[in-house]
Amino acid sequence: MYQLINKFIESAKEIEGDVFPFLANKKSFNPETDSVYYSGPYWDDEEISEMIHSIFKGKWLSSGEKVSKFERQFSKKFGFDHSVMVNSGSSANLVMIAALKKYFEWEDGDEIIVCACGFATTVAPIVQNGLTPVFVDIDWQDLNWNLNEVEAKISDRTVAVISSPVLGNPYDMDTLVNICKNNEIKLIADNCDSLGSKWDGKYLTDVAVAASCSFYPAHHLCTVEGGMVSSNIKEIVDLARSFAWWGRDCYCVGQQNLLSCGTCGKRFDKWLDGYDGIVDHKYVFSQMGYNLKPLDMLGGIGSVQLAKFEEIHKIRRSNKEKIGEIVSSIPGVRVVGENKRSETSWFGVPIICDSKELKESLVFFLEKNKIQTRNYFAGNILLHPGYKHLDDAEKYPNANQVLSKVFFLGCSPTINNNMIDYIAATVERFKND
Ligand SMILES: Cc1ncc(COP(=O)(O)O)c(C=O)c1O
């Protein structure tokens, strides 16, 4: 089947030329007509072939054997015992917090410490699960949260901190681990931007009780949409899976889903206390869940992407260095670097401008020249309509300056050397403007 699909892809290319725009991006760049996208799927024929194969050969099309295989491969690669794939990083955060709350028996109103600056759906799942986010300001040096403030915000209701390094760039993880140990609270990782980042040679997620990840096109691995929850505690991943699969009690996945007696060996049994009869385990609901399952095709693409992770990591690091050097030649601009003990798997190139005027004029100039820029996500999340009721944004003065002085450029492997040369020429024009 793969042979036939590959023939089709080759014919499509012969007839249509560059049929997949993101593949074309890897090879050529015409500054007259093309944009420098900040990220995108770093795919080639293999991912397309896998996608088509899933449709032709898939028995169920929804989450199945390919997803199950990707979960196992992802766990092995990043040092987890268990993982469950879902349909986005936001869904991963939602079911991860739900699972942790249930597993550790956290109560409504218990507190989780989170950075005031970052992505919206790092914070939302805390509230959506009946817990209370407690915010911390950032440090202007690397834009990561201020660890002294993390410690100062711990109260007798604090159950966890959720760590999400800025654009994947780790801060002093030893200090955070000690804070958590000394105060007997859990360290949760929103690892959506930091897949593969290391502190002292170890993945950041090694010290977390659970970790989430995103496979949206902006991220290190792209399955179009997709996310993962991982942990070394099986019950946490089983709970996360249950929340993502309608809240069902049954945990049959992949090939095991085809066992007539179920993974537990007693699929048809007296499962309900209040009903004296045989019930199918597949329709026993032990949580109030959601449906956040991924398509099986996404698992197939995930496996292909995972095999390219080291290449992606290397190019992201090299692109960050090259683009960072170009941009930091602008007077009044600073590019955040990595700590000596880190090996950052960069999500983007973090750029700090001396003033609001400089940021605005630089962003405008780059965008006008078709070089995509991005805000550091929400800036202070407490400035946003959906979040402002949670706390007073004014209490976080550094976070408040992020929207006016910080932005980022991409460093995705879809950005090739021709594009980097174009960025350099554009920056020179900006300096001489
Ligand atoms: C830190 C962080 N968490 C969560 C998410 C949400 O991931 P997704 O877009 O897959 O829902 C993002 C998205 O970019 C993110 O940057």
Side-chain angles (χ1 to χ4, degrees), residues 288-310:
M288 260 194 212
Y290 313 92
N291 179 357
L292 307 171
K293 299 191 299 301
L295 302 181
D296 209 36
M297 172 196 295
L298 308 191
I301 301 168
S303 294
V304 177
Q305 282 274 281
L306 191 63
K308 297 178 179 161
F309 181 79
E310 292 310 323

PDB file of all heavy atoms in Angstrom, residues 288-310:
ATOM      1  N   MET A 288     -16.718  12.209  35.069  1.00  0.00           N
ATOM      2  CA  MET A 288     -17.459  13.072  34.154  1.00  0.00           C
ATOM      3  C   MET A 288     -16.461  13.559  33.136  1.00  0.00           C
ATOM      4  O   MET A 288     -15.679  14.476  33.390  1.00  0.00           O
ATOM      5  CB  MET A 288     -18.059  14.256  34.911  1.00  0.00           C
ATOM      6  CG  MET A 288     -19.492  14.063  35.224  1.00  0.00           C
ATOM      7  SD  MET A 288     -20.196  15.615  35.718  1.00  0.00           S
ATOM      8  CE  MET A 288     -21.392  14.990  36.845  1.00  0.00           C
ATOM      9  N   GLY A 289     -16.447  12.907  31.986  1.00  0.00           N
ATOM     10  CA  GLY A 289     -15.359  13.164  31.042  1.00  0.00           C
ATOM     11  C   GLY A 289     -15.735  14.022  29.859  1.00  0.00           C
ATOM     12  O   GLY A 289     -16.772  14.689  29.843  1.00  0.00           O
ATOM     13  N   TYR A 290     -14.846  13.995  28.892  1.00  0.00           N
ATOM     14  CA  TYR A 290     -14.992  14.752  27.642  1.00  0.00           C
ATOM     15  C   TYR A 290     -14.752  13.761  26.503  1.00  0.00           C
ATOM     16  O   TYR A 290     -14.399  12.607  26.747  1.00  0.00           O
ATOM     17  CB  TYR A 290     -13.928  15.852  27.554  1.00  0.00           C
ATOM     18  CG  TYR A 290     -13.776  16.669  28.814  1.00  0.00           C
ATOM     19  CD1 TYR A 290     -12.847  16.308  29.797  1.00  0.00           C
ATOM     20  CD2 TYR A 290     -14.542  17.813  29.015  1.00  0.00           C
ATOM     21  CE1 TYR A 290     -12.695  17.069  30.951  1.00  0.00           C
ATOM     22  CE2 TYR A 290     -14.396  18.580  30.158  1.00  0.00           C
ATOM     23  CZ  TYR A 290     -13.468  18.198  31.126  1.00  0.00           C
ATOM     24  OH  TYR A 290     -13.321  18.945  32.254  1.00  0.00           O
ATOM     25  N   ASN A 291     -14.841  14.261  25.265  1.00  0.00           N
ATOM     26  CA  ASN A 291     -14.317  13.467  24.158  1.00  0.00           C
ATOM     27  C   ASN A 291     -13.188  14.267  23.511  1.00  0.00           C
ATOM     28  O   ASN A 291     -13.444  15.201  22.756  1.00  0.00           O
ATOM     29  CB  ASN A 291     -15.415  13.153  23.138  1.00  0.00           C
ATOM     30  CG  ASN A 291     -14.842  12.334  21.978  1.00  0.00           C
ATOM     31  OD1 ASN A 291     -13.640  12.066  21.925  1.00  0.00           O
ATOM     32  ND2 ASN A 291     -15.681  11.946  21.052  1.00  0.00           N
ATOM     33  N   LEU A 292     -11.954  13.906  23.824  1.00  0.00           N
ATOM     34  CA  LEU A 292     -10.779  14.645  23.345  1.00  0.00           C
ATOM     35  C   LEU A 292      -9.823  13.702  22.630  1.00  0.00           C
ATOM     36  O   LEU A 292      -8.610  13.907  22.618  1.00  0.00           O
ATOM     37  CB  LEU A 292     -10.083  15.332  24.542  1.00  0.00           C
ATOM     38  CG  LEU A 292     -10.994  16.207  25.417  1.00  0.00           C
ATOM     39  CD1 LEU A 292     -10.264  16.664  26.676  1.00  0.00           C
ATOM     40  CD2 LEU A 292     -11.484  17.425  24.651  1.00  0.00           C
ATOM     41  N   LYS A 293     -10.399  12.639  22.040  1.00  0.00           N
ATOM     42  CA  LYS A 293      -9.558  11.629  21.394  1.00  0.00           C
ATOM     43  C   LYS A 293      -8.963  12.157  20.086  1.00  0.00           C
ATOM     44  O   LYS A 293      -9.609  12.926  19.380  1.00  0.00           O
ATOM     45  CB  LYS A 293     -10.382  10.375  21.070  1.00  0.00           C
ATOM     46  CG  LYS A 293     -10.974   9.691  22.287  1.00  0.00           C
ATOM     47  CD  LYS A 293     -11.551   8.325  21.958  1.00  0.00           C
ATOM     48  CE  LYS A 293     -12.671   8.346  20.954  1.00  0.00           C
ATOM     49  NZ  LYS A 293     -13.831   9.163  21.367  1.00  0.00           N
ATOM     50  N   PRO A 294      -7.744  11.706  19.741  1.00  0.00           N
ATOM     51  CA  PRO A 294      -7.174  12.079  18.444  1.00  0.00           C
ATOM     52  C   PRO A 294      -7.609  11.086  17.374  1.00  0.00           C
ATOM     53  O   PRO A 294      -8.000   9.958  17.682  1.00  0.00           O
ATOM     54  CB  PRO A 294      -5.671  11.932  18.695  1.00  0.00           C
ATOM     55  CG  PRO A 294      -5.581  10.817  19.710  1.00  0.00           C
ATOM     56  CD  PRO A 294      -6.828  10.877  20.551  1.00  0.00           C
ATOM     57  N   LEU A 295      -7.523  11.494  16.108  1.00  0.00           N
ATOM     58  CA  LEU A 295      -7.727  10.538  15.009  1.00  0.00           C
ATOM     59  C   LEU A 295      -6.526   9.598  14.967  1.00  0.00           C
ATOM     60  O   LEU A 295      -5.411  10.001  15.309  1.00  0.00           O
ATOM     61  CB  LEU A 295      -7.816  11.266  13.671  1.00  0.00           C
ATOM     62  CG  LEU A 295      -8.896  12.328  13.527  1.00  0.00           C
ATOM     63  CD1 LEU A 295      -8.862  12.929  12.135  1.00  0.00           C
ATOM     64  CD2 LEU A 295     -10.267  11.720  13.801  1.00  0.00           C
ATOM     65  N   ASP A 296      -6.725   8.386  14.475  1.00  0.00           N
ATOM     66  CA  ASP A 296      -5.607   7.434  14.429  1.00  0.00           C
ATOM     67  C   ASP A 296      -4.489   7.936  13.507  1.00  0.00           C
ATOM     68  O   ASP A 296      -3.307   7.705  13.751  1.00  0.00           O
ATOM     69  CB  ASP A 296      -6.099   6.057  13.975  1.00  0.00           C
ATOM     70  CG  ASP A 296      -5.229   4.946  14.577  1.00  0.00           C
ATOM     71  OD1 ASP A 296      -4.790   5.116  15.743  1.00  0.00           O
ATOM     72  OD2 ASP A 296      -4.967   3.957  13.887  1.00  0.00           O
ATOM     73  N   MET A 297      -4.889   8.650  12.470  1.00  0.00           N
ATOM     74  CA  MET A 297      -3.944   9.221  11.509  1.00  0.00           C
ATOM     75  C   MET A 297      -2.884  10.090  12.214  1.00  0.00           C
ATOM     76  O   MET A 297      -1.716  10.096  11.860  1.00  0.00           O
ATOM     77  CB  MET A 297      -4.804  10.092  10.580  1.00  0.00           C
ATOM     78  CG  MET A 297      -4.112  10.934   9.614  1.00  0.00           C
ATOM     79  SD  MET A 297      -5.268  12.196   8.995  1.00  0.00           S
ATOM     80  CE  MET A 297      -6.473  11.234   8.150  1.00  0.00           C
ATOM     81  N   LEU A 298      -3.308  10.784  13.262  1.00  0.00           N
ATOM     82  CA  LEU A 298      -2.385  11.681  13.968  1.00  0.00           C
ATOM     83  C   LEU A 298      -1.296  10.883  14.687  1.00  0.00           C
ATOM     84  O   LEU A 298      -0.145  11.317  14.798  1.00  0.00           O
ATOM     85  CB  LEU A 298      -3.127  12.586  14.956  1.00  0.00           C
ATOM     86  CG  LEU A 298      -4.313  13.382  14.399  1.00  0.00           C
ATOM     87  CD1 LEU A 298      -4.786  14.426  15.403  1.00  0.00           C
ATOM     88  CD2 LEU A 298      -3.953  14.073  13.092  1.00  0.00           C
ATOM     89  N   GLY A 299      -1.675   9.709  15.168  1.00  0.00           N
ATOM     90  CA  GLY A 299      -0.683   8.838  15.806  1.00  0.00           C
ATOM     91  C   GLY A 299       0.360   8.378  14.794  1.00  0.00           C
ATOM     92  O   GLY A 299       1.560   8.351  15.067  1.00  0.00           O
ATOM     93  N   GLY A 300      -0.130   8.030  13.579  1.00  0.00           N
ATOM     94  CA  GLY A 300       0.784   7.588  12.512  1.00  0.00           C
ATOM     95  C   GLY A 300       1.771   8.688  12.161  1.00  0.00           C
ATOM     96  O   GLY A 300       2.986   8.459  12.048  1.00  0.00           O
ATOM     97  N   ILE A 301       1.271   9.906  12.013  1.00  0.00           N
ATOM     98  CA  ILE A 301       2.152  11.040  11.681  1.00  0.00           C
ATOM     99  C   ILE A 301       3.132  11.265  12.837  1.00  0.00           C
ATOM    100  O   ILE A 301       4.316  11.543  12.628  1.00  0.00           O
ATOM    101  CB  ILE A 301       1.332  12.324  11.415  1.00  0.00           C
ATOM    102  CG1 ILE A 301       0.353  12.122  10.266  1.00  0.00           C
ATOM    103  CG2 ILE A 301       2.252  13.501  11.116  1.00  0.00           C
ATOM    104  CD1 ILE A 301      -0.680  13.225  10.120  1.00  0.00           C
ATOM    105  N   GLY A 302       2.630  11.114  14.058  1.00  0.00           N
ATOM    106  CA  GLY A 302       3.478  11.312  15.248  1.00  0.00           C
ATOM    107  C   GLY A 302       4.694  10.400  15.230  1.00  0.00           C
ATOM    108  O   GLY A 302       5.817  10.826  15.528  1.00  0.00           O
ATOM    109  N   SER A 303       4.482   9.132  14.856  1.00  0.00           N
ATOM    110  CA  SER A 303       5.609   8.182  14.826  1.00  0.00           C
ATOM    111  C   SER A 303       6.658   8.610  13.807  1.00  0.00           C
ATOM    112  O   SER A 303       7.862   8.517  14.063  1.00  0.00           O
ATOM    113  CB  SER A 303       5.122   6.775  14.481  1.00  0.00           C
ATOM    114  OG  SER A 303       4.295   6.299  15.514  1.00  0.00           O
ATOM    115  N   VAL A 304       6.195   9.093  12.645  1.00  0.00           N
ATOM    116  CA  VAL A 304       7.140   9.537  11.607  1.00  0.00           C
ATOM    117  C   VAL A 304       7.908  10.766  12.108  1.00  0.00           C
ATOM    118  O   VAL A 304       9.133  10.871  11.958  1.00  0.00           O
ATOM    119  CB  VAL A 304       6.398   9.868  10.282  1.00  0.00           C
ATOM    120  CG1 VAL A 304       7.367  10.382   9.239  1.00  0.00           C
ATOM    121  CG2 VAL A 304       5.657   8.652   9.760  1.00  0.00           C
ATOM    122  N   GLN A 305       7.168  11.692  12.723  1.00  0.00           N
ATOM    123  CA  GLN A 305       7.811  12.918  13.231  1.00  0.00           C
ATOM    124  C   GLN A 305       8.818  12.615  14.347  1.00  0.00           C
ATOM    125  O   GLN A 305       9.892  13.211  14.409  1.00  0.00           O
ATOM    126  CB  GLN A 305       6.719  13.858  13.792  1.00  0.00           C
ATOM    127  CG  GLN A 305       5.975  14.602  12.713  1.00  0.00           C
ATOM    128  CD  GLN A 305       6.701  15.887  12.327  1.00  0.00           C
ATOM    129  OE1 GLN A 305       6.623  16.880  13.015  1.00  0.00           O
ATOM    130  NE2 GLN A 305       7.420  15.862  11.223  1.00  0.00           N
ATOM    131  N   LEU A 306       8.441  11.683  15.208  1.00  0.00           N
ATOM    132  CA  LEU A 306       9.302  11.371  16.357  1.00  0.00           C
ATOM    133  C   LEU A 306      10.690  10.921  15.908  1.00  0.00           C
ATOM    134  O   LEU A 306      11.705  11.276  16.521  1.00  0.00           O
ATOM    135  CB  LEU A 306       8.634  10.284  17.213  1.00  0.00           C
ATOM    136  CG  LEU A 306       9.250  10.017  18.574  1.00  0.00           C
ATOM    137  CD1 LEU A 306       9.153  11.240  19.472  1.00  0.00           C
ATOM    138  CD2 LEU A 306       8.549   8.832  19.259  1.00  0.00           C
ATOM    139  N   ALA A 307      10.721  10.177  14.794  1.00  0.00           N
ATOM    140  CA  ALA A 307      12.005   9.678  14.285  1.00  0.00           C
ATOM    141  C   ALA A 307      12.896  10.846  13.841  1.00  0.00           C
ATOM    142  O   ALA A 307      14.113  10.691  13.720  1.00  0.00           O
ATOM    143  CB  ALA A 307      11.751   8.730  13.116  1.00  0.00           C
ATOM    144  N   LYS A 308      12.298  12.007  13.612  1.00  0.00           N
ATOM    145  CA  LYS A 308      13.076  13.175  13.162  1.00  0.00           C
ATOM    146  C   LYS A 308      13.412  14.122  14.310  1.00  0.00           C
ATOM    147  O   LYS A 308      13.918  15.224  14.074  1.00  0.00           O
ATOM    148  CB  LYS A 308      12.265  13.964  12.127  1.00  0.00           C
ATOM    149  CG  LYS A 308      11.969  13.205  10.872  1.00  0.00           C
ATOM    150  CD  LYS A 308      11.126  14.035   9.936  1.00  0.00           C
ATOM    151  CE  LYS A 308      10.874  13.234   8.670  1.00  0.00           C
ATOM    152  NZ  LYS A 308       9.751  13.729   7.907  1.00  0.00           N
ATOM    153  N   PHE A 309      13.057  13.715  15.535  1.00  0.00           N
ATOM    154  CA  PHE A 309      13.164  14.689  16.627  1.00  0.00           C
ATOM    155  C   PHE A 309      14.576  15.264  16.789  1.00  0.00           C
ATOM    156  O   PHE A 309      14.751  16.474  16.933  1.00  0.00           O
ATOM    157  CB  PHE A 309      12.679  14.110  17.976  1.00  0.00           C
ATOM    158  CG  PHE A 309      12.787  15.161  19.043  1.00  0.00           C
ATOM    159  CD1 PHE A 309      11.822  16.153  19.145  1.00  0.00           C
ATOM    160  CD2 PHE A 309      13.895  15.225  19.882  1.00  0.00           C
ATOM    161  CE1 PHE A 309      11.949  17.184  20.066  1.00  0.00           C
ATOM    162  CE2 PHE A 309      14.029  16.261  20.801  1.00  0.00           C
ATOM    163  CZ  PHE A 309      13.042  17.233  20.900  1.00  0.00           C
ATOM    164  N   GLU A 310      15.593  14.397  16.752  1.00  0.00           N
ATOM    165  CA  GLU A 310      16.958  14.903  16.998  1.00  0.00           C
ATOM    166  C   GLU A 310      17.371  15.902  15.917  1.00  0.00           C
ATOM    167  O   GLU A 310      18.026  16.903  16.208  1.00  0.00           O
ATOM    168  CB  GLU A 310      17.961  13.746  17.093  1.00  0.00           C
ATOM    169  CG  GLU A 310      17.782  12.866  18.337  1.00  0.00           C
ATOM    170  CD  GLU A 310      17.703  13.645  19.662  1.00  0.00           C
ATOM    171  OE1 GLU A 310      18.407  14.656  19.814  1.00  0.00           O
ATOM    172  OE2 GLU A 310      16.906  13.240  20.537  1.00  0.00           O
TER     173      GLU A 310
END
